[in-house]
């Protein structure tokens, strides 16, 4: 069965002075008007399972106005285990705890994986590449041990190199040293990202086919290092990255930024062999995103051996009936889900009869 969230408790978190919810092992539907705190509950659940928030808040932003600190805590149960997770926040600091012991945010990820779906995600195909990279990295932080540290180390190296590139006359020797650091860190991150993507991509195509009556769809990793990186090991990737950095140095100095590397890569979607960003309809683009989220849920189950927690924040109102039915089919497949909505009319009687409904207002 794996772990399930038994309950969540919020204290001075965002707009909640005090709120405690017992979750259903199936679907829990949070219903109420906008700005009533539903999304804040979803955010807390994501932080307690993934170790980060899709809103990227400062610690101070998590604290209810007039309060000194915020706390979100949840109990996870299953397979004979009980795991208590907690996050405390105050202006300038944030701390995570598991079973009372202070841990890094990256150590929270992987205990119980979660997959978040928000209305903003529906524009993922047509938005800039950074959103697609963030989606892949967000999943990687939960799915692969050490991914967060690889991402953070590489990001710091690129920032340091960019700072050097902005100097009036950068020291060539110092730039060589940062090139080596960026290449080593970038190769490690790219190797991990590509291994994850190779498992995710076939599932995305499979899920899209189920949503769209067999219409062919594909997704490919687009690397700024060039073609063929999928088959390379870390050492070969590091050598190639070093070559690309050397080739791009003059351009990088002119633009004062690092122009090649995993931080500039992309994921390309195709529908019936055509670029989905340029040629797919809005409905097809939304199906691509829905297929990606379904694929993440399937891969998460493979990684941890149990279904992930699904967090669906007001997406039902943005989907047509056919795509809502695809989401419902996913919900009914022995998956714990927390869903927010302003209108219970988006759900069938069959779904609501098996769900716990919690009113906000």
């Amino acid at each position: 069965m794996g772990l399930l969230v038994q309950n969540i408790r919020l204290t001075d978190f965002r707009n909640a002075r005090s709120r405690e919810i017992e979750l259903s092992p199936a679907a829990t539907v949070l219903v109420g008007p906008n700005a009533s705190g539903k999304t804040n509950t979803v955010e807390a659940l994501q932080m307690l399972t993934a170790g980060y928030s899709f809103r990227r808040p400062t610690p101070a932003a998590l604290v209810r106005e007039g309060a000194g600190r915020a706390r979100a805590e949840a109990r996870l149960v299953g397979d004979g285990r009980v795991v208590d997770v907690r996050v405390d926040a105050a202006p300038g600091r944030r701390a995570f705890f598991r079973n009372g012991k202070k841990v890094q945010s990256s150590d929270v990820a992987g205990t119980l994986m979660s997959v978040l779906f928000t209305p903003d995600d529906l524009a993922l195909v047509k938005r800039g590449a950074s959103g697609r990279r963030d989606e892949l990295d967000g999943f990687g932080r939960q799915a692969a041990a050490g991914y967060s540290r690889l991402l953070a180390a590489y990001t710091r190296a690129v920032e340091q190199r960019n700072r050097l590139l902005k100097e009036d006359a950068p020291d060539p020797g110092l730039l060589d040293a940062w090139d080596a650091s960026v290449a080593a860190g970038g190769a490690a991150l790219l190797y991990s990202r590509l291994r994850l993507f190779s498992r995710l991509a076939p599932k995305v195509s499979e899920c899209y086919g189920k949503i769209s009556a067999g219409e062919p769809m594909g997704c490919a990793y687009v690397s700024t290092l060039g073609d063929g990186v999928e088959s390379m090991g870390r050492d070969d990737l590091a050598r190639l990255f070093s070559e690309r950095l050397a080739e791009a140095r003059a351009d990088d100095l002119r633009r004062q930024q690092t122009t090649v590397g995993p931080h500039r890569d992309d994921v390309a979607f195709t529908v019936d062999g055509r670029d989905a960003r340029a040629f797919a309809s809005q409905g097809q683009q939304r199906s691509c995103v829905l297929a990606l989220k379904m694929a993440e849920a399937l891969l998460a189950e493979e990684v941890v051996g149990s279904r992930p927690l699904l967090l669906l924040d007001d997406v039902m109102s943005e989907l047509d009936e056919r795509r809502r039915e695809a989401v419902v089919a996913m919900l009914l497949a022995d998956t714990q889900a927390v869903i927010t909505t302003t209108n219970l009319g988006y759900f069938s009687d069959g779904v609501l009869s098996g769900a716990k409904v919690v009113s906000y207002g």
Side-chain angles (χ1 to χ4, degrees):
M1 178 183 71
L3 290 170
L4 298 173
V5 181
Q6 184 180 80
N7 59 58
I8 180 170
R9 183 184 299 113
L10 306 179
T11 306
D12 292 325
F13 186 93
R14 294 287 192 180
N15 67 344
R17 182 183 296 274
S18 179
R19 184 184 294 276
E20 184 171 1
I21 303 172
E22 297 288 327
L23 299 186
S24 165
T28 301
V29 179
L30 312 181
V31 59
N34 292 328
S36 59
K38 305 185 303 298
T39 298
N40 297 339
T41 302
V42 167
E43 177 183 32
L45 284 166
Q46 187 189 34
M47 293 184 71
L48 292 168
T49 53
Y52 67 94
S53 162
F54 68 102
R55 288 166 157 172
R56 305 185 183 208
T58 63
L62 298 172
V63 181
R64 185 178 61 84
E65 186 175 354
R69 69 172 190 173
R71 172 171 291 180
E73 49 195 326
R75 171 158 288 187
L76 315 180
V77 298
D79 295 337
R81 292 190 294 159
V82 176
V83 181
D84 291 319
V85 287
R86 186 178 99 224
V87 59
D88 290 343
R93 58 187 176 88
R94 178 168 52 207
F96 288 84
F97 299 83
R98 185 169 58 201
N99 291 334
K101 180 181 179 181
K102 189 174 182 180
V103 296
Q104 298 295 319
S105 61
S106 58
D107 295 324
V108 172
T111 304
L112 169 63
M113 293 187 67
S114 61
V115 175
L116 173 73
F117 195 4
T118 74
D120 286 345
D121 291 327
L122 291 168
L124 190 67
V125 172
K126 64 182 179 183
R127 286 208 311 259
S130 63
R132 293 182 287 278
R133 286 193 302 271
D134 288 347
E135 180 70 21
L136 194 56
D137 287 337
F139 185 75
R141 289 162 71 173
Q142 296 189 73
Y147 194 100
S148 292
R149 288 184 285 275
L150 291 176
L151 180 61
Y154 174 69
T155 300
R156 286 194 298 270
V158 171
E159 288 173 349
Q160 291 292 337
R161 185 177 189 268
N162 287 346
R163 197 168 290 126
L164 185 60
L165 289 169
K166 289 179 172 63
E167 294 183 0
D168 290 337
D171 183 311
L174 194 54
L175 195 51
D176 286 342
W178 278 114
D179 281 7
S181 179
V182 167
L189 173 62
L190 182 56
Y191 182 74
S192 183
R193 192 191 275 177
L194 288 169
R195 290 182 68 189
L196 176 69
F197 185 79
S198 69
R199 299 176 65 185
L200 186 65
K203 289 178 169 57
V204 178
S205 299
E206 178 185 348
C207 290
Y208 184 91
K210 293 178 180 178
I211 300 169
S212 302
E215 184 178 47
M217 175 266 193
C219 57
Y221 190 87
V222 182
S223 173
T224 50
L225 301 187
D227 298 333
V229 293
E230 298 85 355
S231 60
M232 291 184 179
R234 272 171 286 198
D235 290 344
D236 287 337
L237 285 171
R239 280 190 288 271
L240 177 61
F241 201 171
S242 294
E243 292 172 5
R244 294 291 183 265
L245 285 170
E247 293 167 0
R249 179 174 290 192
D251 191 38
D252 287 357
L253 285 166
R254 181 178 59 81
R255 297 173 63 177
Q256 298 184 323
Q257 59 182 300
T258 304
T259 58
V260 295
H263 65 293
R264 301 294 292 266
D265 291 353
D266 199 357
V267 175
F269 295 90
T270 57
V271 174
D272 202 14
R274 307 179 77 192
D275 179 11
R277 189 177 183 187
F279 298 105
S281 67
Q282 183 184 68
Q284 288 172 319
Q285 290 180 352
R286 290 185 168 199
S287 289
C288 287
V289 177
L290 181 53
L292 176 60
K293 295 294 183 176
M294 294 172 71
E296 288 179 0
L298 292 173
L299 183 52
E301 183 176 7
E302 287 185 8
V303 170
V304 298
S306 61
R307 293 270 180 164
L309 172 68
L310 292 180
L311 302 172
L312 307 178
D313 186 31
D314 200 29
V315 295
M316 302 301 272
S317 62
E318 301 292 331
L319 299 173
D320 59 25
E321 184 176 358
R322 178 165 59 86
R323 292 176 180 85
R324 281 203 297 269
E325 289 176 353
V327 172
V328 168
M330 179 170 61
L331 294 179
L332 297 180
D334 300 321
T335 303
Q336 187 179 34
V338 176
I339 314 151
T340 74
T341 186
T342 57
N343 183 3
L344 292 178
Y346 293 123
F347 302 88
S348 69
D349 291 340
V351 171
L352 292 177
S353 66
K356 178 175 182 177
V357 178
V358 179
S359 296
Y360 280 59

